[in-house]
Amino acid sequence: MSVMILGLVIFLGVHSVRIVADDWRRAQIARVGELAWKGGYSLVSLAGLALAIWGFGQMRLDPAVVWFPPLGLRHAVALLMLPAMILLVAAYVPGNAIRARLGHPMLLAVKLWAFAHLLANGRLGDIVFFGAFLAWAIVAFAAARRRDRAAGLAAPASRLPATLVTLAIGLVAYYLFAMHLHGWIIGVPAIAMG
């Protein structure tokens, strides 16, 4: 589990720079340039994510079980992942009402994803992995909203077609991931049949 924790510290640490050291971040961007900053940020993030995922896979080989979630919580996960997937898509489709109304839909998607997976997984490694993402997303969302208020940012304009596209892509992505890709990528079917 130590590899997973190291990966989480690196990945979530890099993603927390704006939360804990935004002035330093801006100074570094001014010093090295935005492109170099984003390149280094991406490389460190990918390394941390790769370590966290690899460590998570290793943890699953010899898990320490903390609790046995009721089988019915799997249905709650399936239900919560639908809005999580739509929120994830809303982060990338410009001009949609979801993003305009809620602000920072990616962080909301991470919160829902992590919370949902905490409900249905009782291994210690799962609790550490998803709990770390949930705690980070809560703090990051609060910090992002404070920055928005301090900057006096108003909700951006939204358009109905963009919102409908967001919903459609989110539903299709949910279906594809839940029915096909989760088992292939993660090694565990998202929705167990039978």
Side-chain angles (χ1 to χ4, degrees):
M1 186 165 6
S2 57
V3 173
M4 180 186 77
I5 292 171
L6 175 62
L8 287 170
V9 167
I10 293 169
F11 182 79
L12 295 176
V14 167
H15 282 80
S16 297
V17 168
R18 193 160 189 201
I19 299 169
V20 298
D22 198 28
D23 291 339
W24 177 84
R25 175 185 161 273
R26 282 195 297 268
Q28 296 310 307
I29 292 170
R31 186 175 67 82
V32 301
E34 189 171 356
L35 190 59
W37 172 263
K38 286 183 177 181
Y41 180 94
S42 298
L43 288 174
V44 174
S45 293
L46 283 172
L49 185 59
L51 281 172
I53 290 170
W54 185 76
F56 183 79
Q58 294 303 304
M59 173 278 307
R60 287 174 43 195
L61 298 175
D62 188 24
V65 177
V66 175
W67 73 299
F68 293 97
L71 196 57
L73 287 179
R74 291 184 187 170
H75 300 293
V77 174
L79 182 64
L80 289 170
M81 287 309 299
L82 179 59
M85 192 63 76
I86 292 169
L87 286 166
L88 178 66
V89 172
Y92 295 100
V93 176
N96 70 79
I98 297 166
R99 182 176 187 163
R101 176 79 174 127
L102 299 177
H104 309 285
M106 171 70 80
L107 295 172
L108 293 171
V110 172
K111 283 201 268 189
L112 271 177
W113 165 80
F115 176 71
H117 284 77
L118 278 171
L119 290 177
N121 294 287
R123 297 173 298 210
L124 179 59
D126 294 321
I127 294 167
V128 170
F129 187 83
F130 296 114
F133 273 98
L134 179 59
W136 170 81
I138 289 169
V139 172
F141 185 79
R145 294 301 287 234
R146 275 194 304 275
R147 281 192 310 271
D148 291 350
R149 284 191 297 275
L153 293 178
S158 63
R159 299 179 314 277
L160 181 60
T163 305
L164 294 175
V165 166
T166 300
L167 291 170
I169 294 172
L171 290 170
V172 170
Y174 172 79
Y175 169 79
L176 290 174
F177 200 76
M179 295 302 185
H180 304 289
L181 297 176
H182 194 278
W184 181 64
I185 294 170
I186 309 300
V188 177
I191 300 175
M193 302 296 182

